[in-house]
Amino acid sequence: KAALRADDTLAHLGGDSFALLLTDIDAAQGCPALLDRVQAAIATPLTVAGSQLHATASIRVSLYPKDNADGDTLLRHADQAMFLAKEAGKNRYHLFDPESDRKAQCQRRQLERLRLALARGEFVLHYQPKVDLGDGRVIGVEALIRWQDPERGLLAPGAFLPYIEAVEAMERALGDWVLASALAQLEQWLHAGLQFSVSVNISAHQLMHADFVDDLQRLLERHPQVPRERLELEILETAALTDLPRAIAVMQRCAALVVRFALDDFGTGYSSLTYLRKLPVDTLKIDQSFVRDMLVDPDDRAIVDGVIRLAAAFNRHVIAEGVETIEHGLALQRLGCRLAQGYGIARPMPAEQLPAWLRDWQ
Ligand code: C2E
Ligand code: MG
Ligand code: MG
């Protein structure tokens, strides 16, 4: 109360929440100064029964007439998005902004829904074959996540991964689930006599997390039957480049576990040749944007050609993604790329459809 002015109102709403009603303030200048004073007052240590107590507060601010609402709604607005102030850390205040509030609420609802989806087992992996165009051999499959939303049906990763990737803990939880599921599936296929490898997409955060390699090792130990070279991790070229020394260190530790790496979406991240030499990757995966137009766009064709030669020069494998037609496949083969993946060969499919596809594949 000592930090407030005579006309201001301080009310105890219940529990640990209080409301301040401040009148006649100039939003631009007066408000922050007053709030700083309030924060400072709250932060002053209290001595109670001989012990020092420290309190902090998260403050959410709603302004009238900017947030044009009645008294109850003003209070609700201030209260509703309190989590924003709390997220930003204690001892902060946050101005209510209807637009960002709407977005934040939408994002929060989405995240809650996705958390539930993970708990309920609504995520599934589909698998897309990778083949050798030279002899038709199926060399492996790539695991691609889908969300089987009971309301909206099967959703592609573009519809939900961006939300998940914004929250590191969730990204890790989902990443762990993907790796564990893909390995369990691979083990099942190996038992059934299907001899191929499984590729799993790993996000940058996931790869760079301090526990990644140890977790991976523990997971592999739970599947002693699976030859480790049958697991391939796909890392976005751009992800590897964000912290190259770190990426190299992590990938080398994984390579010691005999796990292999592919650089995904290759060509979109401007790897320098020095980097490429240092990264312990087995395979360059030509980004589908170049493959798609290679038949009509000489520049894209030149890039595809260039990546294929680069891979040969550095003694790496090369695979093309987004191979949609036979013509694409033939053109790639002529340029020296035998490995391919794309709708022209097969769309990603549920694991149980794969044996039938393999029987029919010519
Ligand atoms: P990506 O790893 O580059 O996967 C290839 C994407 O291209 C997949 O899209 C696949 O369905 C699609 N695709 C395959 N063949 C063709 C084709 O011939 N034409 C066209 N137009 N598209 C084709 P999807 O499944 O929507 O996945 C998108 C991206 O989401 C993936 O790109 C990958 O970066 C990410 N992603 C998927 N699953 C996971 C996952 O489990 N973990 C992480 N971290 N990321 C994932
Ligand atoms: Mg991939
Ligand atoms: Mg890709």
Side-chain angles (χ1 to χ4, degrees):
K1 273 195 150 169
L4 301 176
R5 300 162 307 176
D7 290 346
D8 298 332
T9 307
L10 170 63
H12 183 199
L13 296 179
D16 62 354
S17 69
F18 294 81
L20 281 173
L21 178 65
L22 312 174
T23 53
D24 280 328
I25 51 166
D26 173 352
Q29 284 111 40
C31 187
L34 188 57
L35 289 172
D36 285 340
R37 232 166 48 226
V38 171
Q39 290 280 28
I42 292 169
T44 312
L46 297 167
T47 308
V48 177
S51 317
Q52 262 211 347
L53 303 180
H54 297 267
T56 57
S58 304
I59 304 183
R60 184 76 183 169
V61 185
S62 184
L63 290 172
Y64 184 87
K66 189 166 164 272
D67 176 19
N68 194 355
D70 57 56
D72 278 344
T73 315
L74 274 177
L75 256 185
R76 195 153 46 76
H77 279 170
D79 191 35
Q80 238 171 29
M82 181 61 120
F83 80 102
L84 269 186
K86 284 189 177 149
E87 260 172 18
K90 289 179 172 173
N91 278 326
R92 295 285 173 81
Y93 57 83
H94 219 282
L95 287 176
F96 178 83
D97 162 36
E99 179 54 19
S100 67
D101 189 68
R102 201 188 50 74
K103 280 196 197 138
Q105 283 200 45
C106 176
Q107 178 140 6
R108 193 172 42 162
R109 271 198 302 272
Q110 276 283 354
L111 271 176
E112 270 321 305
R113 185 60 195 88
L114 285 164
R115 226 170 246 136
L116 209 60
L118 188 59
R120 288 178 180 163
E122 290 174 2
F123 291 108
V124 289
L125 291 179
H126 281 194
Y127 295 89
Q128 186 178 35
K130 303 178 176 189
V131 303
D132 184 329
L133 296 170
D135 55 16
R137 205 163 41 94
V138 177
I139 55 162
V141 293
E142 177 178 10
L144 293 160
I145 195 164
R146 304 285 180 261
W147 177 14
Q148 187 66 59
D149 183 341
E151 279 146 36
R152 290 180 292 171
L154 195 69
L155 299 178
F160 57 89
L161 273 189
Y163 292 99
I164 290 180
E165 281 168 358
V167 181
E168 211 188 307
M170 264 197 87
E171 188 182 27
R172 287 199 66 217
L174 190 72
D176 289 347
W177 177 83
V178 170
L179 260 174
S181 310
L183 258 183
Q185 183 60 61
L186 177 60
E187 180 158 31
Q188 222 174 305
W189 278 327
L190 291 174
H191 276 309
L194 299 177
Q195 299 292 323
F196 48 59
S197 56
V198 168
S199 308
V200 174
N201 293 285
I202 303 291
S203 75
H205 277 132
Q206 208 182 340
L207 180 76
M208 303 295 188
H209 192 276
D211 297 336
F212 179 73
V213 184
D214 292 336
D215 288 352
L216 180 64
Q217 178 159 18
R218 262 193 296 279
L219 184 64
L220 288 166
E221 280 161 5
R222 268 187 266 140
H223 298 274
Q225 313 266 46
V226 176
R228 291 174 174 191
E229 64 277 8
R230 291 293 170 83
L231 178 66
E232 180 183 62
L233 304 181
E234 294 195 4
I235 311 290
L236 289 177
E237 183 196 8
T238 44
L241 291 178
T242 48
D243 183 351
L244 196 81
R246 181 102 186 252
I248 292 174
V250 175
M251 288 163 85
Q252 276 169 347
R253 287 182 62 204
C254 288
L257 299 175
V258 209
V259 170
R260 293 172 306 120
F261 282 97
L263 274 188
D264 208 345
D265 297 1
F266 191 80
T268 60
Y270 319 110
S271 282
S272 85
L273 298 183
T274 324
Y275 290 170
L276 195 55
R277 186 169 55 81
K278 286 186 188 155
L279 279 173
V281 296
D282 301 271
T283 302
L284 305 184
K285 202 164 183 189
I286 311 172
D287 188 58
Q288 54 180 284
S289 62
F290 308 121
V291 175
R292 186 182 57 225
D293 295 332
M294 66 179 284
L295 299 180
V296 289
D297 185 333
D299 290 342
D300 284 339
R301 187 192 167 85
I303 291 175
V304 171
D305 188 27
V307 175
I308 293 169
R309 286 165 195 260
L310 198 63
F314 282 86
N315 209 7
R316 310 288 159 90
H317 297 292
V318 63
I319 182 167
E321 65 177 12
V323 178
E324 297 198 349
T325 66
I326 303 248
E327 288 70 37
H328 284 91
L330 289 171
L332 282 161
Q333 247 187 313
R334 273 196 298 274
L335 293 176
C337 175
R338 287 171 57 128
L339 306 183
Q341 174 184 356
Y343 295 168
I345 297 152
R347 293 199 170 237
M349 63 188 97
E352 56 276 14
Q353 287 176 17
L354 200 80
W357 179 84
L358 285 169
R359 271 196 302 277
D360 296 343
W361 158 247
Q362 300 190 337

